[in-house]
Amino acid sequence: MILSGTALDSPSPDLSLREVAYFSMEIALSPALPTYSGGLGMLAGDTLRSAADTAAPMVAVSLAHRAGYFRQKLDAVGQQTETDVPWSPEKTLPPASQTVTITMQGRAITIRAWRFDVTGVTGHIIPVFLLDTDVEGNDPYDRRLTDHLYGGDTYYRLCQETILGIGGMTLLHALGCQPDVYHMNEGHAALLALALLEDQLKGAPLNTATEANVAAVRRQCVFTTHTPVPAGHDKFGLDQMVQVLGRDRAAALEATGCLHDNLLNMTYVALRFSRYVNGVAMQHGKVSQLMFPDYKVHAITNGVHAATWLAEPIQQLLDSEIPEWRIDNQYLRSVYGIEPDRIAACHNKGKQRLFDTVAKRTGVQFNPSVLTLGFARRVATYKRASLLLQDPVRLAKIAEKIGGLQILYAGKAHPADNAGKGLIRDVFTEAAHLRSPFLKILYLENYDWDLGAQLTQGVDVWVNTPRRPYEASGTSGMKAALNGVPSLSILDGWWIEGCAESVTGWAIEDAETEAMEAESLYTKLESAIAPLYANPTAWARMQQHCVAMNGTFFNTHRMLRQYFTNAYFPQSASTKGSAVSPILTPDSQPAPVHEHVLV
Ligand SMILES: *Cc1c(COP(=O)(O)O)cnc(C)c1O
């Protein structure tokens, strides 16, 4: 995999013209770089890939994560072990032209950065700065702070978030970059607001900050919250806050209302300092609004970067029929003008490629003419990986009746999540107990970018069974839809918007108990999905609907355009200059339209 062509000596794009700075603790930049753990990082990467394709004036900041997010090994009973995937930014990427020094833990820490260029279809570049504290002269503890994504204890995590927020902001300014908008992709980056506040004060002590200063910071910040699961919202003890940030910054956070339940809560820091807050699907916006009643919470539904996730054969088909799709995904709607069996033929190639990979990795041969379900995601209790296996006897009976069924699982548990690791073992145990010649179940190791792509391009039906309402959005089902793969899913997250029953997939009915939800899943499988699969013409029609209806909408080109219109540069609000919003009269000029955004 080519690293997006960032030549070690290539000049930096003109940073002074960048209007939006995107901050994310993880960003999936290339299949070859282990700088992400899952959905959040994928979304960040897809966002920047769409920004590059549509020539958006953006720049991004994250950490280098030298140790890499881990490689997963599963033994015969499904016990997960992890190994680091170390990489060397210095051998791979050009350095940023500046280093910066900030104070944290009561001492100086020098931060350098490596530049990864995300290059779009027309050559536009989004520079991404990966912060790195492995610098000679730094305290030995500090040199390891940008190594482990989501590693270490809470103290380590708070240090990382200080580096991301305050270090990242300081670096952008040192590079001559003065964006109008700072987008916090999740609360991890919220401390950038503190740096913006210090910037407002021009050297005056933080305790002189006024409401007007806070309001000025608010006009610059946008915050996206990504999960209603409480553990997903970082909280730190007050003693840690003082130790890492020092008394002055700690007092400023307290004075500006950033503490919650007597803890430093990064979500509240972000809420307090942002003028626009959003969830990542319409339902998630509503759920988040209930969680944070004191703040207005909007919604912008996630998407995926189409050219990243579409299988090669479909890309070729689209290039020949509607080449405009690469710059503007709305053209995907025109797949209604392509014969469905041509889409089905492309999908068959993806299925074969996936099964070749499965055979090579496991020695198990899957049959390409048998209905195949995929279930792959980060392992967490609310995702309920084993709902599909709730009644194995019933499942085996269905498999026999419909002439065979194959199921592919994948997913990593966080190294410290013993409950999650237990869920992987549960799937192994259930699969081992099944002795049906009609039902094959495999759990594939090391779910990552490449495997995720092959699975969403190759299975026939994508299954998702979260406990409502904890799936904020989910994006793997969108990747599947783009590739003509319908979903069978609980009506949660994006699927509430994406499900047209029997057209783009099927909803698992809401029920009081898990057993009843499993029953609904089995009934749909037996009486709706299998009969349709047995009719190739009808199935190909459904594949076409998936691409035309859902691929056209659930992509990051559309999502990013919504961020520009609603969050970054809304017509109704000023984001620049004066302390008060201008009052728009009917004939006043709306905020400038950013014409270099082609979306
Ligand atoms: C797309 C993707 C995710 C996120 O998918 P969800 O549906 O949100 O679980 C996570 N990990 C990988 C490797 C992916 O490709």
Side-chain angles (χ1 to χ4, degrees), residues 38-39 42 309 377 383 447-449 474-476 479:
M42 279 300 178
W309 298 105
R377 44 196 41 86
K383 302 244 187 193
Y447 180 46
D448 63 2
W449 181 328
T475 52
S476 54
K479 300 167 193 166

